[in-house]
């Protein structure tokens, strides 16, 4: 890293016209990730960042023992050098290096790890100056190949921090190679988001207009208006919307995608065994359809024992099997073809009510059944704390992928259109965006669509700012294909992240959401064609109405255009009979 910075200073001295060359080279974010286990590790990201001796070219120099174990140098058959933590008796017995963190910066971490026996989780741990242990990421490591551990941490204070590795398998050695810790300022992080947004959410189009005789229509005036966005950005709704015109107007003015908070859940539609009632859910579906609002189905089953219908909790296994079979048949058949997604199993990593009662394949079997009943709808595993909280061992990205792989490998499930549902319930305080982004990188490497399904932020004086950070992070990430917020107006009973007060006037969080809605769509404008009768402009993916005004005869020609996700650059030739 020092070499890169030195090079930048040389460039600045030689020519002041290229300052961005250094900034981009030194600080662009590396979104790459893999869940594959490789025979040889890949190079350290950012050339190691602020880590000393990141690739162990100089043996174990710069690294020390943490705990009661020992360290030694390892060399592969191909001559690759790495470090080994051995003779371990405690989970944190490993290698260590101290680094200086600066307050307000985000730190992207990566390393390649393996263990020398079987498989087991390896985590990176940041030991803060006061002794607090902050886990910054985890990976399932194996024997005989290298796995990428990717994560990150936000520095709340400036302090000297010790980087450690943790494995509860104390009989195994921890092998580590190509470690990286790269700092980014919040301004640089925002620049990554803007750069990715331009790349992932927009395409560039060139319109060339000619007269009937083939000559360029110089000075033609284009008026461009976006009528629909291709990126799903929406908000949940609840039963209050049925009888509140103000709530309906507030919602329909802003959002074209939604999830019902509770109204489709089993405990809402069958409060008494055998007495199904879809009156409320049906009314909400009608409102959404009348207003062109797409619906995510939430949810078929919730694996948390606490949230089962009260009569379900004491059923025998045989009785539960029959009741659950009726439930899935009833709700999925009723709304088949009307929804864009189903959260088939909610919080399946944290809880196991159905698996405990019906066997380990219960979830997989319900995915198979939902797919049979509604084959054209994307089926999601919906989970919390995968991106929000780095210390939740149950829901880390690798555990998520392992569970989803189990479900999709079940006989009959290979053809399912599957999606990754990450709830995104962030608490108060600064969100760890570095960890969030690394998790999206890891799960994005699966190629499956990721949705942030229930985004909200805890009460905090800076709540609006933090909500904006999370939404920007999700919207800009290449792997994220949709966002639904679990927020709303106070009038509808929302009390965590409130977008509007009792009179439907915006809160600061509501101002943020409205600002982003406007920012993430093309603003209607008129553009004058050049001497070749052409204009070139970046457009958000979506549908557009375009009119061209003849500068001489003042005639208007209207047409529609769609900028699709698979187009980075397009050219449209127009011939107008003025």
């Amino acid at each position: 890293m020092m070499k890169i910075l030195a090079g930048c200073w040389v460039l600045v001295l030689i020519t002041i016209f290229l300052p961005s060359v250094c900034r981009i080279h030194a600080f662009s974010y590396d979104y790459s990730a893999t869940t594959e286990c490789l025979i040889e590790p890949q190079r350290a990201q950012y050339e190691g960042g602020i880590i000393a001796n990141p690739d162990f070219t100089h043996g174990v120099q710069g690294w020390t023992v943490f705990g009661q174990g020992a360290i030694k140098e390892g060399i592969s058959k191909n001559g690759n050098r790495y470090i080994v933590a051995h003779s371990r008796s405690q989970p944190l017995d490993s290698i260590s290096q101290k680094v200086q963190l600066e307050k307000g910066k985000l730190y992207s971490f990566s390393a390649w790890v393996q263990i020398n026996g079987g498989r087991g989780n390896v985590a990176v741990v940041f030991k803060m100056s006061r002794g607090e242990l902050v886990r910054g990421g985890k990976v399932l490591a194996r024997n005989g190949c290298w796995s990428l551990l990717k994560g990150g941490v936000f520095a709340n204070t400036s302090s000297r921090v010790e980087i450690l590795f943790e494995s509860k398998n104390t009989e195994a050695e921890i092998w580590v190679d190509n470690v990286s810790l790269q700092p980014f300022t919040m301004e640089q992080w925002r620049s990554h988001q803007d750069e990715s947004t331009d790349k992932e959410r927009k395409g560039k189009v060139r319109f060339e207009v000619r007269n009937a005789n083939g000559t360029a229509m110089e000075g033609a005036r284009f008026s461009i208006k976006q009528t629909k966005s291709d990126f799903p950005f929406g908000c949940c709704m609840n039963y209050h919307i049925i009888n509140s015109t103000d709530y309906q107007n507030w919602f329909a003015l802003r959002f074209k995608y939604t999830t019902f908070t509770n109204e489709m859940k089993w405990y809402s539609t069958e409060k008494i065994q055998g007495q199904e009632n879809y009156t409320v859910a049906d009314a909400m579906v009608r409102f959404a359809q009348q207003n062109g609002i797409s619906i995510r189905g939430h949810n078929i089953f919730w694996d948390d024992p606490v949230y089962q219908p009260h009569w379900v909790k004491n059923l025998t296994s045989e009785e539960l099997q029959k009741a659950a079979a009726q439930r899935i048949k009833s709700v999925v058949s009723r709304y088949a073809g009307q929804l864009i997604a189903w959260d088939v199993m909610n919080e399946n990593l944290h809880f196991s009510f159905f698996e405990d009662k019906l066997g380990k394949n219960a979830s997989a079997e319900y995915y198979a059944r939902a797919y049979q009943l509604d084959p054209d709808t994307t089926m999601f595993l919906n989970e919390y704390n995968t991106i929000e909280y780095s210390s939740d061992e149950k829901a880390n990205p690798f555990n998520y992928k392992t569970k989803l792989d189990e479900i999709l490998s079940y006989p009959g499930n290979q053809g399912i259109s599957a999606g990754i549902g990450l709830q995104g319930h962030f608490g108060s305080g600064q969100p760890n965006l570095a960890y969030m982004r690394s998790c999206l990188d890891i799960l994005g490497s699966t190629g499956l669509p990721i949705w942030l399904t229930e985004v909200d932020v805890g009460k905090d004086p800076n709540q609006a700012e933090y909500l904006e950070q999370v939404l920007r992070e999700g919207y800009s990430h290449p792997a994220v294909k949709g966002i639904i917020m679990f927020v709303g107006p106070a009038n509808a009973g929302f009390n965590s992240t409130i977008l509007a007060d009792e009179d439907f006037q915006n809160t600061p969080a509501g101002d943020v959401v409205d600002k982003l809605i406007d920012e993430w769509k093309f603003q209607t404008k008129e553009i004058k064609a050049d001497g070749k009768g052409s204009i070139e402009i970046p457009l958000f993916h979506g549908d557009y109405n375009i009119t061209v005004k003849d500068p001489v005869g003042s005639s208007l020609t209207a047409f529609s255009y769609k900028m699709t996700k698979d187009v980075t650059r397009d050219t449209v030739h127009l011939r107008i009979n003025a």
Side-chain angles (χ1 to χ4, degrees):
M1 182 51 120
M2 291 302 295
K3 293 179 181 178
I4 295 173
L5 292 176
C8 287
W9 282 112
V10 171
L11 285 172
V12 171
L13 289 172
I14 294 174
T15 170
I16 62 173
F17 300 107
L18 296 174
S20 63
V21 171
C22 300
R23 180 182 61 81
I24 293 172
H25 177 66
F27 298 115
S28 290
Y29 180 80
D30 188 342
Y31 287 93
S32 65
T34 181
T35 56
E36 295 182 12
C37 202
L38 307 181
I39 299 301
E40 293 289 348
Q42 296 177 355
R43 295 180 60 183
Q45 293 185 327
Y46 315 107
E47 299 183 7
I50 61 173
I51 295 294
N53 190 23
D55 55 5
F56 305 98
T57 302
H58 305 292
V60 299
Q61 181 179 329
W63 297 89
T64 59
V65 177
F66 184 86
Q68 301 303 312
I71 61 174
K72 63 182 179 181
E73 182 183 18
I75 303 177
S76 71
K77 294 179 180 179
N78 296 329
N80 180 60
R81 296 176 181 271
Y82 53 92
I83 195 169
V84 177
H86 63 97
S87 304
R88 303 172 55 248
S89 58
Q90 299 295 325
L92 286 172
D93 290 346
S94 64
I95 64 171
S96 168
Q97 183 172 135
K98 291 183 178 180
V99 297
Q100 179 69 32
L101 300 189
E102 297 181 43
K103 182 179 179 179
K105 287 189 176 182
L106 303 106
Y107 290 81
S108 178
F109 177 86
S110 63
W112 289 86
V113 300
Q114 67 171 290
I115 58 177
N116 72 330
R119 59 175 57 194
N121 287 323
V122 176
V124 61
V125 179
F126 296 88
K127 184 181 180 184
M128 301 302 181
S129 57
R130 295 183 180 179
E132 178 189 5
L133 300 178
V134 176
R135 284 159 182 82
K138 180 178 291 187
V139 68
L140 178 62
R142 300 176 177 87
N143 178 45
C145 58
W146 293 91
S147 298
L148 175 64
L149 196 173
K150 194 170 188 182
V153 67
F154 177 81
N156 290 307
T157 61
S158 294
S159 62
R160 195 74 172 162
V161 171
E162 200 165 5
I163 300 175
L164 321 169
F165 292 86
E166 178 184 45
S167 174
K168 294 179 181 179
N169 181 0
T170 56
E171 295 182 359
E173 298 175 350
I174 302 175
W175 298 7
V176 181
D177 198 5
N178 294 340
V179 186
S180 175
L181 188 67
Q182 175 62 43
F184 296 99
T185 65
M186 291 297 288
E187 292 76 16
Q188 289 163 347
W189 203 260
R190 173 66 183 275
S191 74
H192 306 154
Q193 295 170 344
D194 292 342
E195 181 182 355
S196 184
T197 293
D198 288 343
K199 179 181 177 182
E200 301 295 334
R201 310 298 177 208
K202 297 178 182 179
K204 188 168 287 187
V205 59
R206 182 179 182 85
F207 294 106
E208 296 181 351
V209 58
R210 294 183 177 275
N211 295 296
N213 62 8
T215 59
M217 188 177 285
E218 180 179 357
R221 293 190 176 273
F222 286 78
S223 178
I224 303 174
K225 179 181 180 180
Q226 185 174 7
T227 58
K228 181 178 178 294
S229 171
D230 277 356
F231 185 88
F233 178 62
C235 185
C236 70
M237 65 170 70
N238 64 24
Y239 68 94
H240 288 279
I241 205 164
I242 298 173
N243 298 315
S244 172
T245 303
D246 288 338
Y247 188 6
Q248 293 173 7
N249 292 337
W250 176 87
F251 195 99
L253 179 65
R254 291 167 171 80
F255 305 113
K256 291 299 179 184
Y257 294 85
T258 193
T259 299
F260 302 168
T261 54
N262 298 307
E263 290 75 11
M264 277 190 183
K265 292 172 182 173
W266 197 2
Y267 62 63
S268 296
T269 63
E270 195 176 358
K271 295 179 180 179
I272 300 174
Q273 186 174 9
Q275 297 182 24
E276 295 179 341
N277 187 340
Y278 288 94
T279 303
V280 175
D282 285 350
M284 293 172 67
V285 169
R286 283 195 299 274
F287 165 75
Q289 291 175 339
Q290 290 166 1
N291 288 275
I293 299 168
S294 299
I295 307 166
R296 296 188 75 257
H298 178 74
N299 50 55
I300 299 175
F301 293 114
W302 194 346
D303 230 0
D304 188 343
V306 173
Y307 294 107
Q308 305 305 321
H310 70 90
W311 56 268
V312 166
K313 298 176 184 179
N314 295 319
L315 295 179
T316 65
S317 294
E318 184 177 352
E319 290 169 339
L320 176 60
Q321 192 166 32
K322 291 179 180 178
Q326 172 57 28
R327 158 64 179 175
I328 194 169
K329 178 182 178 181
S330 173
V331 71
V332 179
S333 297
R334 188 179 196 88
Y335 300 116
Q338 301 180 67
L339 310 179
I340 60 172
W342 272 115
D343 290 333
V344 180
M345 190 59 71
N346 201 45
E347 300 174 1
N348 203 194
L349 295 176
H350 285 93
F351 307 103
S352 56
F353 176 80
F354 292 93
E355 290 82 358
D356 293 342
K357 295 276 190 176
L358 304 176
K360 66 177 184 178
N361 292 323
S363 295
E365 291 172 359
Y366 291 137
Y367 276 83
R369 184 59 178 146
Y371 174 57
Q372 292 168 3
L373 294 168
D374 196 4
D376 296 325
T377 299
T378 304
M379 305 292 170
F380 283 79
L381 174 67
N382 195 45
E383 193 52 80
Y384 69 91
N385 275 356
T386 303
I387 58 174
E388 305 100 305
Y389 186 53
S390 61
S391 292
D392 190 331
E393 296 187 13
K394 292 182 177 179
N396 69 73
F398 285 89
N399 285 357
Y400 187 110
K401 181 180 181 297
T402 298
K403 184 63 179 180
L404 192 56
D405 286 345
E406 290 175 1
I407 291 169
L408 297 181
S409 63
Y410 185 76
N413 285 357
Q414 287 73 19
I416 288 178
S417 175
I420 294 173
L422 308 175
Q423 292 181 12
H425 296 295
F426 290 83
S428 59
Q430 171 64 48
N432 185 352
L433 299 179
Y435 179 76
M436 177 183 177
R437 187 179 289 182
S438 71
C439 295
L440 294 174
D441 294 346
I442 293 163
L443 290 173
S445 70
T446 66
L448 296 175
I450 296 174
W451 279 58
L452 308 190
T453 56
E454 305 181 19
V455 174
D456 61 11
V457 174
K459 293 181 179 180
D460 191 282
N462 298 314
Q463 183 185 62
E465 176 188 350
Y466 296 154
L467 177 63
E468 180 174 355
Q469 289 179 8
V470 170
L471 293 176
R472 284 190 183 279
E473 191 61 46
Y475 181 78
S476 64
H477 197 281
V480 175
K481 306 304 179 186
I483 300 174
I484 302 290
M485 300 177 290
F486 255 45
V487 299
N491 186 277
F494 290 92
N495 57 19
S496 177
T497 308
I498 303 170
L499 298 189
D501 63 20
E502 293 286 348
D503 298 318
F504 287 90
Q505 298 301 306
N506 270 6
T507 63
D511 285 339
V512 162
V513 170
D514 283 352
K515 178 183 74 172
L516 293 178
I517 289 172
D518 284 340
E519 183 180 324
W520 294 339
K521 68 181 180 182
F522 183 83
Q523 299 301 315
T524 300
K525 63 179 63 176
E526 290 193 356
I527 306 172
K528 184 178 179 181
D530 61 20
K532 297 180 179 179
S534 66
I535 64 170
E536 185 171 273
I537 190 168
L539 298 177
F540 284 97
H541 301 146
D543 298 337
Y544 292 83
N545 287 336
I546 301 175
T547 59
V548 182
K549 184 177 182 180
D550 173 17
V552 178
S554 296
S555 62
L556 292 176
T557 300
F559 65 98
S560 60
Y561 176 76
K562 185 175 184 63
M563 174 58 72
T564 59
K565 298 180 179 66
D566 57 348
V567 173
T568 56
R569 185 176 293 273
D570 192 16
T571 301
V572 177
H573 301 281
L574 304 170
R575 186 67 65 94
I576 296 178
N577 295 317

